[in-house]
Amino acid sequence: MKTIPMITLCMIVKNEGAFLEKCLSSVQDFAEEIIIVDTGSTDNTIDIAKKFHSKIFHYPWDQHFANARNEGLAKATGEWILWLDADECLDIQNPEFYKEILKNKQANLLFLPITNFIGEHLDALNHDSYTHHQPRLFRNHQGIQFINRIHETLDGEPEKLTTDIIDMPILHYGYIDEITKAKNKSIRNKKILKLEAKKEMHSPWVEYHLASEHYRLKEYKLALEYVNQSIFNFLLIGKKPPSVHYKLKYDILIQTNSMNQALPGIEKALLLYPDYVDLHFYKGLILLHQSDYQNAKTCFEKCLELGEHHPDYLILKGVGSFRAMHYKNICSEKLKATDDGERS
């Protein structure tokens, strides 16, 4: 009979006094072991970590997130490892239920749904958000490690990696404007990304992440240049550009009201990703802007048909529900007004 597995939480932190207690409180009944790798805190981060009986290790910051995270993995003794950032928390009510699920999982790398809240202020009552799935739980001692200087991700021997999904939500607050500004995240991130971009054989993801940083700062011209370069770089190495590239590109074109040339491109993107609800939503907005109400309405109806539960994609809250319904109704009203006008 299988026993309930021991779980280790691994984190890297620096000056996370504002968030760490909320994060650790959310996981204390799920993880039996907490590994904290501190990269130079000068606030009360360490004191908070000690309250939760964390094992604390100090790591000299070398501008390499994967190196720091792997330092924590080397100290973990649990059968499974969960990794979080301090501005995230688990959103679960019954930890034992999820441990029972883990007990019977065959895969060694599990994807969890992450809700990324966006907006200006942390205390806003109605946050917009994006949802996507990331590999956040994995079996220990199976050669799975972090790679990449920034926007690190898990990697292992491909023939030994087996994946699955577990519906254990994580809430992420780090993209809210007041938090990114307080931490100077964008300055730090761009500095590290530009170090990576200087490497001759760097990943095309580097330009995508630079595009994302400029997008968050509303520097749309630079963001568009970087995302287009990233798409081109993926094509150069014979790989299909990931879906988030097209989402970001057409989001930028809509934000800047540059929709006249967008329709042919988004049609091609939808050939690559025909079930990506956000792209259908953006196509609907473009057609609505062009007063093509019937085809725009068809797009929003497609969004409602697809819904928002697609683990492979980054999805804006509402594009498969209330946002799509809102714009569908606008299209219906426009068509009715046109029809009434023709009759009169």
Side-chain angles (χ1 to χ4, degrees):
M1 184 177 178
K2 292 183 178 179
T3 58
I4 297 293
M6 176 180 166
I7 298 154
T8 298
L9 170 69
C10 284
M11 300 179 64
I12 60 172
V13 298
K14 181 181 179 182
N15 293 335
E16 296 290 358
F19 286 101
L20 188 58
E21 185 154 1
K22 182 177 181 179
C23 173
L24 296 181
S25 294
S26 77
V27 80
Q28 63 179 342
D29 294 327
F30 180 70
E32 290 83 3
E33 180 179 57
I34 298 175
I35 303 290
I36 300 287
V37 174
D38 185 81
T39 62
S41 292
T42 55
D43 65 355
N44 61 339
T45 291
I46 299 300
D47 293 332
I48 294 170
K50 287 178 179 177
K51 285 171 56 177
F52 291 85
H53 307 291
S54 307
K55 298 177 182 178
I56 301 164
F57 302 91
H58 299 278
Y59 181 82
W61 179 236
D62 58 356
Q63 299 195 73
H64 201 299
F65 282 90
N67 287 350
R69 289 203 189 275
N70 288 333
E71 184 77 7
L73 300 191
K75 314 293 185 184
T77 64
E79 181 181 340
W80 285 88
I81 294 175
L82 168 71
W83 68 278
L84 293 175
D85 286 325
D87 53 15
E88 297 175 330
C89 59
L90 276 185
D91 186 26
I92 59 173
Q93 304 302 318
N94 187 354
E96 295 305 317
F97 170 77
Y98 291 98
K99 290 182 182 181
E100 283 289 338
I101 293 176
L102 279 183
K103 184 173 73 172
N104 297 305
K105 281 290 183 184
Q106 300 300 312
N108 57 15
L109 184 65
L110 301 180
F111 285 71
L112 278 61
I114 318 289
T115 297
N116 297 288
F117 294 106
I118 56 174
E120 293 186 8
H121 301 292
L122 183 61
D123 58 358
L125 294 177
N126 293 306
H127 286 293
D128 279 338
S129 63
Y130 291 95
T131 300
H132 69 124
H133 285 66
Q134 276 192 350
R136 290 303 193 95
L137 258 174
F138 59 99
R139 291 186 186 274
N140 198 4
H141 308 304
Q142 296 200 5
I144 300 172
Q145 293 268 295
F146 285 96
I147 59 170
N148 299 335
R149 182 183 292 273
I150 189 169
H151 296 289
E152 64 281 13
T153 190
L154 291 166
D155 192 41
E157 296 180 44
E159 65 275 9
K160 294 183 180 179
L161 282 181
T162 53
T163 62
D164 201 349
I165 294 170
I166 182 170
D167 190 17
M168 192 167 77
I170 295 173
L171 307 180
H172 176 220
Y173 299 94
Y175 288 148
I176 293 174
D177 291 349
E178 68 174 291
I179 296 169
T180 58
K181 290 174 183 174
K183 290 185 176 182
N184 289 321
K185 269 189 175 183
S186 193
I187 293 172
R188 177 203 68 190
N189 290 355
K190 285 191 290 184
K191 180 180 178 181
I192 298 174
L193 285 164
K194 286 176 180 177
L195 280 175
E196 287 294 287
K198 290 179 180 178
K199 294 180 180 178
E200 188 175 346
M201 298 299 291
H202 68 268
S203 166
W205 278 106
V206 171
E207 281 80 12
Y208 169 79
H209 290 308
L210 280 166
S212 296
E213 294 298 335
H214 288 290
Y215 173 86
R216 280 193 280 274
L217 295 171
K218 296 182 171 57
E219 297 168 353
Y220 295 124
K221 184 174 183 293
L222 277 171
L224 186 60
E225 289 175 5
Y226 275 118
V227 76
N228 280 333
Q229 185 63 52
S230 186
I231 290 171
F232 180 70
N233 288 349
F234 269 105
L235 294 172
L236 274 182
I237 61 174
K239 291 186 177 180
K240 181 170 74 170
S243 58
V244 288
H245 288 60
Y246 296 107
K247 174 180 173 61
L248 180 56
K249 176 175 180 173
Y250 293 102
D251 191 333
I252 293 167
L253 292 175
I254 289 168
Q255 292 286 348
T256 56
N257 204 29
S258 306
M259 290 185 271
N260 289 336
Q261 304 301 317
L263 190 59
I266 204 166
E267 295 275 18
K268 292 177 182 176
L270 279 165
L271 290 175
L272 296 175
Y273 298 102
D275 59 343
Y276 194 177
V277 62
D278 290 60
L279 293 183
H280 286 282
F281 184 78
Y282 291 159
K283 181 183 174 182
L285 292 181
I286 293 165
L287 290 168
L288 180 59
H289 176 77
Q290 296 176 351
S291 302
D292 187 349
Y293 304 123
Q294 186 58 60
N295 285 321
K297 181 182 176 185
T298 300
C299 287
F300 297 125
E301 288 171 342
K302 181 66 174 179
C303 292
L304 293 167
E305 176 191 326
L306 288 169
E308 297 169 17
H309 302 291
H310 297 272
D312 292 337
Y313 297 127
L314 174 68
I315 294 177
L316 174 65
K317 179 182 176 182
V319 294
S321 55
F322 65 88
R323 294 181 198 269
M325 182 60 71
H326 170 73
Y327 283 107
K328 177 189 172 184
N329 291 339
I330 288 176
C331 292
S332 296
E333 291 168 6
K334 293 287 188 181
L335 289 167
K336 184 177 184 300
T338 300
D339 189 48
D340 291 345
E342 289 175 353
R343 288 178 183 174
S344 60

